[in-house]
Amino acid sequence: MIKPFTPNDLIRYIYQEMSEVEQELFVQALHSDDSLMQEYVEMLSTIEQMDQIQLQPSEKVVQAIKSRAQSTGLERV
């Protein structure tokens, strides 16, 4: 019988946080469980998309921080 794997196990596998024995069992489960394989592929895709996100504060936020810094005398860093 193959152990049921959770989304947390998927993350542990992707980030190589499983023991070798767990990895072997997980790979076997991937090959035999289409829904687990689908979740794995979707999670890899999501992680890839998240890695491409570039976060930057809006100009409004930057101005608010600068304004607050000036009002407290912290304008020079």
Side-chain angles (χ1 to χ4, degrees):
M1 182 173 122
I2 296 178
K3 171 190 180 250
F5 287 96
T6 66
N8 189 45
D9 291 322
L10 286 168
I11 293 169
R12 290 177 53 236
Y13 178 76
I14 290 168
Y15 288 104
Q16 300 174 351
E17 296 177 349
M18 287 184 160
S19 68
E20 287 184 36
V21 172
E22 285 180 301
Q23 285 180 16
E24 281 184 38
L25 292 172
F26 186 81
V27 169
Q28 289 175 9
L30 279 176
H31 290 298
S32 63
D33 184 340
D34 290 338
S35 65
L36 181 63
M37 178 60 85
Q38 183 63 34
E39 283 184 68
Y40 173 67
V41 169
E42 288 173 8
M43 195 169 287
L44 284 179
S45 176
T46 300
I47 290 170
E48 183 179 314
Q49 290 172 10
M50 288 174 62
D51 287 343
Q52 294 175 4
I53 295 173
Q54 295 181 2
L55 300 176
Q56 295 181 0
S58 68
E59 187 61 32
K60 182 178 178 180
V61 170
V62 172
Q63 291 305 318
I65 292 170
K66 286 181 178 181
S67 176
R68 177 74 174 159
Q70 287 175 346
S71 70
T72 59
L74 299 174
E75 65 272 0
R76 294 188 182 205
V77 178

